[in-house]
Amino acid sequence: MGKRNPSRTTGKTYIAVILVFILLFIGSFVHYMQNLGKPFDKNNTKAIAVNIPQGSGTSTIGQILEEKKVISSTNKFKLLSKIDGNDGKYKAGEYSLSPSMPLEQIMEIIISGDSNTSRFTIPEGLTIKETADRLAAKNLINKDAFLSEVKSGTFDYRFISLLPNTENRLEGFLYPETYDIYTTASEHEIIGKMLDQFDKLVPEEYYTRASEMGYDMYKIITIASLIEKETLVSSEKPVVASVIYNRLAVNMPLQIDATVQYALPEHKERLNYKDLEVDSPYNTYQNTGLPQGPICSPGIDSIKAALYPANTNYYYYVLSAEKNGSHKFSNTYEEFLKNKNAYVHSL
């Protein structure tokens, strides 16, 4: 009998081992793919609120879902998204999802954009009462419940301790923005979302800056609300801020019409001399210094202007005769009258 060739036997063994590994890999891959879209926890039907921010890519969405324990793996979400051609199709919104849902069902919901949400926009410069009216008109709140939360709701933010115990306590801090909320959101949750946005946009350095200026954040927001009401031209806001600070420095009345409007029971198209005599801590014609508090919700440009005013010697401003919303600034009353006359004659 001939002798066995050891090298041939060894070669067959290697091939057999490789085949076993290939079969194991194929089996594992098939098992992985079969389980790829299975629910993370089919027994957990609890609905979980998931917010998908604007501009979120597949990877970010997968991470959000995994962190919320809606899915088991970001990588599985990314892989199945790639296989199904879902990349770039997902829509922002707030969704009610469950770990018991198959992965493809979760994907379909987010692609459809059929979230149980409603969107509302609060423009810069609205008061709390105007904000409440707008939300009530969209049937998102009960107005009385909303105003009750404004007055006495419990919120945990560093600026809350600065606020007065009044019915319009949160005036100036309900940040003007476009929001997506659950249609079942409570008045407390809606207010909290707006306060969250304020808190995100006003970092620690702003509080430090306010302290360096000799103010707290409540007074800075008060000043920012005046700036918001006085001009819509963003580039002018630091200059308007400088006028306010220059007047405060010499104890000169601010004489801002918008503060008088805030003091009146109803908004007027044009104030008369009697209106300017209204007895109110918001009347900056009758009182020197700042009004009692903010008179509207300012945007971030107005807040920045209050913190970083321009360096000027201006004490006056009036609408420009150019009728483009801009102002003419001056440091003397005589120059102010000249600019005012030019504006009046342009009407």
Side-chain angles (χ1 to χ4, degrees), residues 122-127 130 176 225 228-229 295-299:
I122 301 301
E124 297 168 346
L126 290 194
T127 66
E130 290 168 338
S225 73
E228 187 66 54
K229 282 294 192 181
I295 61 171
C296 71
S297 292

Side-chain angles (χ1 to χ4, degrees), residues 98-110:
S98 167
S100 65
M101 291 177 176
L103 191 51
E104 288 188 324
Q105 182 182 355
I106 291 172
M107 292 175 170
E108 288 170 4
I109 291 172
I110 303 175

Side-chain angles (χ1 to χ4, degrees), residues 8-301:
R8 180 181 295 178
T9 301
T10 302
K12 288 181 179 179
T13 301
Y14 284 152
I15 292 172
V17 170
I18 291 171
L19 287 173
V20 169
F21 275 115
I22 291 174
L23 290 172
L24 287 172
F25 174 78
I26 292 173
S28 297
F29 180 75
V30 170
H31 178 76
Y32 181 83
M33 293 303 295
Q34 287 176 339
N35 289 276
L36 183 60
K38 286 189 175 181
F40 174 45
D41 183 358
K42 66 180 181 180
N43 296 316
N44 183 2
T45 59
K46 180 181 178 182
I48 298 174
V50 179
N51 177 48
I52 307 298
Q54 291 285 350
S56 297
T58 301
S59 181
T60 299
I61 294 172
Q63 291 169 8
I64 292 171
L65 294 172
E66 185 177 352
E67 288 170 2
K68 288 283 188 177
K69 301 190 184 308
V70 174
I71 65 173
S72 61
S73 166
T74 300
N75 289 332
K76 285 184 178 180
F77 182 82
K78 289 166 62 179
L79 177 59
L80 193 56
S81 292
K82 183 68 69 176
I83 292 171
D84 289 354
N86 291 340
D87 286 341
K89 295 182 180 179
Y90 297 117
K91 295 181 175 67
E94 286 187 297
Y95 299 90
S96 183
L97 304 172
S98 167
S100 65
M101 291 177 176
L103 191 51
E104 288 188 324
Q105 182 182 355
I106 291 172
M107 292 175 170
E108 288 170 4
I109 291 172
I110 303 175
I111 288 172
S112 72
D114 187 20
S115 58
N116 54 336
T117 63
S118 183
R119 173 169 291 187
F120 68 88
T121 298
I122 301 301
E124 297 168 346
L126 290 194
T127 66
I128 279 177
K129 289 183 179 179
E130 290 168 338
T131 297
D133 287 339
R134 180 173 287 243
L135 294 174
K138 290 178 67 71
N139 295 317
L140 294 174
I141 63 164
N142 174 285
K143 185 176 177 180
D144 290 339
F146 183 87
L147 294 176
S148 177
E149 281 293 323
V150 166
K151 179 180 179 181
S152 55
T154 301
F155 301 97
D156 185 18
Y157 300 95
R158 64 175 298 174
F159 53 81
I160 293 294
S161 63
L162 303 173
L163 309 185
N165 187 24
T166 60
E167 64 179 15
N168 58 349
R169 172 183 60 138
L170 298 177
E171 190 75 87
F173 293 84
L174 300 184
Y175 192 78
E177 185 65 272
T178 295
Y179 295 95
D180 291 305
I181 59 163
Y182 283 106
T183 52
T184 56
S186 68
E187 288 78 9
H188 182 89
E189 289 169 335
I190 292 173
I191 291 170
K193 193 159 185 116
M194 300 175 78
L195 296 178
D196 275 343
Q197 185 65 4
F198 176 91
D199 199 46
K200 289 176 185 175
L201 292 175
V202 181
E204 176 66 29
E205 67 181 86
Y206 286 7
Y207 286 86
T208 301
R209 169 64 179 168
S211 180
E212 291 171 349
M213 297 172 70
Y215 293 90
D216 60 27
M217 188 52 65
Y218 186 69
K219 289 182 179 178
I220 288 295
I221 297 304
T222 298
I223 294 169
S225 73
L226 306 181
I227 298 167
E228 187 66 54
K229 282 294 192 181
E230 286 299 276
T231 181
L232 298 176
V233 180
S234 186
S235 61
E236 284 189 351
K237 291 184 176 185
V239 187
V240 170
S242 75
V243 173
I244 292 172
Y245 283 113
N246 287 345
R247 286 191 168 217
L248 290 173
V250 296
N251 208 32
M252 183 179 182
L254 295 179
Q255 297 181 316
I256 293 176
D257 288 359
T259 65
V260 177
Q261 290 278 16
Y262 190 82
L264 297 176
E266 298 292 337
H267 185 273
K268 289 189 171 184
E269 287 301 318
R270 186 181 295 275
L271 296 175
N272 57 43
Y273 286 110
K274 187 174 181 180
D275 294 326
L276 301 183
E277 296 174 357
V278 63
D279 183 15
S280 169
Y282 288 94
N283 188 341
T284 55
Y285 280 83
Q286 297 292 319
N287 307 304
T288 57
L290 292 173
Q292 189 176 56
I295 61 171
C296 71
S297 292
I300 192 62
D301 286 346

